Amino acid sequence: EGLRSLAALDDLVLRLQDAGIYVMLGIHVIAADTNSALWCQSVEGGCSSEDEEPLFDAWSSLVTRYCASPNVIAADLYNEPFGATWGSGDRRTDWDLAAERLGNHVLARCPRWLIFVQGIANNGGWCRDHPSGLHSGHTCWWGEAVHPHRAHPIELSDASKLVLSPHAYGDDSKNPNHPGTPEVWDTHWGLIPSEEGTPVVLGEWGGLWDDTGPWQERMQEYLIDRGLGHFYWSLNDNSFDTGGLYNSVNQPKWDMLASSLASSVPGFQAAVAALSNQPPSPSPSPLPPLPPRPLPPPPPLRDRARPVPPAPPPARQQPAPAAAPQSCSRHCSPLRGAAACARGPPPPPPPSPPSPPAPPPPPSSPAASRPPTSRGRSARRRLPLRPCLRPRCWRRRRGRSPPPAQRSWSSCGCWWRRCRRRWTGGGGGAARARWH
């Protein structure tokens, strides 16, 4: 859904490749909803070199896009040129000459592809009453008349790539003059492989079962007896005049086609190699059994469990230092000043080796053991660190930004008037903390 035409074709070719199905590309029409009588749009007076260019350009694009796809193997040059001639010598209307030009054009760009060439119709009486005698006395369907190849063969640059691909319908209201018998099919195209050595693959056949059921059963038996390959039309159900194969009402068609001949892929490859005078590619030999999976290597020594050494006797530990403050305001002190706030918490001291236990201190005097008073310098030094209530920003007071290393602590370069009142309990006329 949402894909353009070539993108949808790309997706289809890839899906068929995954399913192991070969693909033949064909150009059915040049313009939408038109089935031109010739291989160009302008049919009045035939097809000139300029008129052929759209078809040549289309095949150039397809070859460039799909020649590298391994399951694309053939090109059906054009569908049912029912208004063309064969062998008249007129370059503008002779389909055999146009097929040579188109086929060589494709082979020059993708030499491995097969070139399928359909027939013309009863134009000039080729099927019913042509003066050459190469006729059956009955009319032909569009694209069915390939028997002029006997007298005027198509000559490609590589003759082994040519495949004639007639279309055959009959026994219904659209083609009442076609009786559909083995004698007629032999004259039209059935004996060309054995008599001329050119392969024939029936490119289209089928129809609505209620109208053409007996005719289709006779055609199926004929194809099996002659050992001819074919393409049944059509797979989709949107062909109003032939029907398709998807709907369950086509069960009789399924039962009939179940007996169709099928070629194995190695046999097909051998046949193609024989035509190309190349040895067939050897069939792939079965893969050897996988060796036993090796065990994973042992983990490195550092990942292995090591024996736990016995714990040493407990040593006397020194009291752990106080944890570093988590915010700037926790280590602001009216005595240390704003510089300590801006620099951040001091780094922890390096670990020192355990020292022997210190001797007991001498007995102190009663005066030394007395708790400090709430006033005086010695008392302020022993005050615990407490957060400021409203620290005023250093930037606002100083009128400039602190150095980059101190910007994360800039909110602590502040006046300590409120802090001092709270801690010392007095008004304190100190102007501000000194900058160290």
Side-chain angles (χ1 to χ4, degrees):
E1 183 178 355
L3 298 177
R4 298 182 67 88
S5 299
L6 283 178
L9 185 57
D10 291 343
D11 181 70
L12 177 61
V13 169
L14 288 176
R15 291 174 183 268
L16 294 175
Q17 178 179 341
D18 294 339
I21 299 176
Y22 289 106
V23 176
M24 178 179 70
L25 298 175
I27 295 183
H28 210 80
V29 295
I30 300 176
D33 301 328
T34 59
N35 195 356
S36 178
L38 297 177
W39 58 96
C40 62
Q41 284 296 305
S42 176
V43 297
E44 184 177 355
C47 299
S48 64
S49 299
E50 292 76 12
D51 297 332
E52 293 178 345
E53 287 183 1
L55 187 58
F56 278 76
D57 293 342
W59 275 118
S60 297
S61 300
L62 291 175
V63 172
T64 302
R65 198 176 190 96
Y66 298 110
C67 184
S69 300
N71 62 320
V72 180
I73 61 171
D76 191 356
L77 297 180
Y78 189 70
N79 180 69
E80 299 176 352
F82 59 91
T85 58
W86 193 308
S88 68
D90 188 350
R91 184 187 184 279
R92 301 171 65 92
T93 60
D94 269 2
W95 171 235
D96 56 322
L97 301 180
E100 291 178 359
R101 295 192 297 270
L102 276 171
N104 291 330
H105 175 81
V106 173
L107 289 177
R109 289 155 179 79
C110 191
R112 69 177 184 86
W113 278 6
L114 299 174
I115 303 299
F116 278 57
V117 179
Q118 299 182 26
I120 59 175
N122 197 49
N123 187 21
W126 265 110
C127 292
R128 186 173 52 243
D129 52 4
H130 196 272
S132 64
L134 299 175
H135 59 84
S136 62
H138 301 280
T139 188
C140 294
W141 186 254
W142 288 0
E144 186 177 6
V146 295
H147 58 276
H149 176 75
R150 299 171 183 265
H152 306 280
I154 296 174
E155 298 179 357
L156 296 179
S157 58
D158 185 354
S160 66
K161 296 299 189 292
L162 175 63
V163 179
L164 298 179
S165 181
H167 293 184
Y169 295 94
D171 233 18
D172 61 358
S173 58
K174 290 189 176 182
N175 201 353
N177 296 323
H178 198 310
T181 61
E183 293 76 18
V184 173
W185 295 325
D186 282 346
T187 304
H188 286 174
W189 40 269
L191 295 180
I192 291 179
S194 59
E195 295 179 356
E196 305 296 332
T198 304
V200 171
V201 173
L202 192 60
E204 283 187 25
W205 69 284
L208 299 174
W209 188 259
D210 293 340
D211 297 336
T212 63
W215 181 92
Q216 293 190 51
E217 290 177 343
R218 293 197 302 271
M219 176 65 80
Q220 173 74 355
E221 295 176 359
Y222 177 81
L223 294 174
I224 294 175
D225 292 341
R226 290 287 186 264
L228 298 176
H230 63 87
F231 290 89
Y232 188 86
W233 186 273
S234 70
L235 183 64
N236 301 347
D237 285 332
N238 57 356
S239 181
F240 65 91
D241 54 352
T242 62
L245 292 176
Y246 279 138
N247 200 305
S248 59
V249 300
N250 296 309
Q251 183 67 42
K253 295 182 180 180
W254 302 347
D255 297 339
M256 176 193 67
L257 294 173
S259 61
S260 298
L261 300 176
S263 300
S264 64
V265 173
F268 173 78
Q269 292 174 338
V272 173
L275 291 175
S276 303
N277 297 323
Q278 297 176 358
S281 57
S283 301
S285 57
L287 297 176
L290 295 176
R293 187 175 182 179
L295 297 176
L301 293 178
R302 63 175 178 273
D303 297 334
R304 298 183 185 178
R306 297 178 179 177
V308 180
R316 187 169 182 176
Q317 302 290 335
Q318 295 292 333
Q326 297 300 320
S327 67
C328 166
S329 59
R330 293 207 170 212
H331 61 275
C332 293
S333 168
L335 298 180
R336 296 179 61 191
C341 300
R343 287 194 300 268
S352 59
S355 57
S364 58
S365 61
S369 61
R370 192 168 48 230
T373 60
S374 61
R375 293 183 180 273
R377 184 175 180 82
S378 62
R380 287 198 299 271
R381 287 177 180 172
R382 293 184 176 88
L383 287 176
L385 301 180
R386 297 186 182 183
C388 301
L389 295 181
R390 291 182 179 178
R392 299 181 181 180
C393 180
W394 167 264
R395 180 182 308 197
R396 184 176 302 174
R397 283 293 178 183
R398 288 288 186 181
R400 58 186 177 85
S401 299
Q406 302 173 4
R407 285 177 185 172
S408 58
W409 305 93
S410 63
S411 62
C412 292
C414 57
W415 290 62
W416 296 99
R417 194 181 306 256
R418 295 176 183 269
C419 298
R420 180 170 178 175
R421 281 200 200 100
R422 179 180 176 88
W423 292 349
T424 62
R432 56 183 169 181
R434 293 193 305 272
W435 178 269
H436 296 284

